[in-house]
Amino acid sequence: MENLQNKRVAILATNGFEESELTSPKQALEDSGAKVDVVSIETGSIKGWKNGNWSNSVRVDKTLEEVYEEDYDALVLPGGVINPDQLRRSEKAIQFVRAFFKNHKPVAAICHGPQVLVEADVVNGRKLTSFHSIKTDLMNAGAKWFDEAVVVDHGLVTSRTPDDLPDFNRKLVEEVREGTHSRQMV
């Protein structure tokens, strides 16, 4: 994998994140040398979701109150049904996401994670994918939706399900290594 020494990545999540969609990208980034923080609207730890049940907890490194976009080189939004629905209700979370686009930084979202991108109003005219049940929501927000394992559009990396994690992780690491993308914007 790529050398991401000196790169910092935020994974924005809260209770109800799809476990593998947080842990797998986190591991791939760390294995590539990146420093990764789990950032949340919660303090302490957040509980994952796996196979239709609550699963393991993950320690929160920082809350949204403690971080700024400029602290990071990229952002990851794991899915799960509950997680993005909670995040899209937080104005602080939406502002945090939008700041990455304003500053042309890589953003990766998987499964239901792109729902947060809809709320942040950053998908109009962009190519992406997601879990099939939110396809219409994304298209109604102006996205060009594709049924592919991974779609990359100028620093925006999206995938459909945990089955796509190998492709998602590979492209995520690649985009973080490349750095800012001038066409990644609000």
Side-chain angles (χ1 to χ4, degrees):
M1 290 202 121
E2 311 287 337
N3 181 357
L4 299 183
Q5 212 68 32
N6 301 318
K7 298 284 188 172
R8 290 195 65 197
V9 180
I11 298 179
L12 180 60
T14 192
N15 290 305
F17 64 89
E18 181 66 36
E19 185 177 311
S20 64
E21 295 172 1
L22 186 149
T23 59
S24 180
K26 184 175 189 290
Q27 188 66 57
L29 288 162
E30 290 174 341
D31 287 350
S32 297
K35 164 80 171 89
V36 181
D37 286 337
V38 175
V39 177
S40 185
I41 55 178
E42 311 288 335
T43 60
S45 64
I46 52 176
K47 199 155 187 65
W49 192 261
K50 182 178 180 180
N51 299 324
N53 295 296
W54 290 104
S55 65
N56 297 313
S57 293
V58 171
R59 182 177 59 85
V60 171
D61 297 303
K62 307 266 185 181
T63 67
L64 279 170
E65 302 298 324
E66 301 172 297
V67 298
Y68 299 94
E69 158 276 323
E70 54 263 19
D71 298 333
Y72 299 100
D73 297 292
L75 174 66
V76 177
L77 299 167
V81 176
I82 299 167
N83 170 57
D85 192 57
Q86 294 295 318
L87 290 175
R88 67 195 292 187
R89 297 181 208 179
S90 165
E91 186 56 37
K92 189 94 170 147
I94 298 308
Q95 290 172 0
F96 188 64
V97 170
R98 285 179 63 81
F100 282 85
F101 284 85
K102 284 181 182 175
N103 290 290
H104 316 291
K105 294 181 179 179
V107 175
I110 186 168
C111 195
H112 287 76
Q115 287 179 311
V116 180
L117 302 178
V118 169
E119 195 66 32
D121 194 24
V122 294
V123 300
N124 189 28
R126 302 301 295 272
K127 293 184 250 178
L128 51 80
T129 193
S130 67
F131 192 71
H132 64 86
S133 69
I134 65 168
K135 170 185 174 182
T136 301
D137 299 332
L138 290 163
M139 291 172 61
N140 285 342
K144 298 170 187 163
W145 192 90
F146 296 87
D147 186 13
E148 296 176 10
V150 65
V151 174
V152 181
D153 183 7
H154 303 288
L156 175 59
V157 180
T158 54
S159 283
R160 303 169 300 192
T161 71
D163 293 341
D164 299 330
L165 280 165
D167 293 327
F168 180 75
N169 291 342
R170 184 175 42 78
K171 283 300 190 178
L172 165 62
V173 168
E174 181 181 314
E175 294 302 305
V176 173
R177 182 190 49 77
E178 288 177 5
T180 59
H181 293 74
S182 63
R183 295 182 64 193
Q184 171 78 313
M185 63 185 87
V186 175

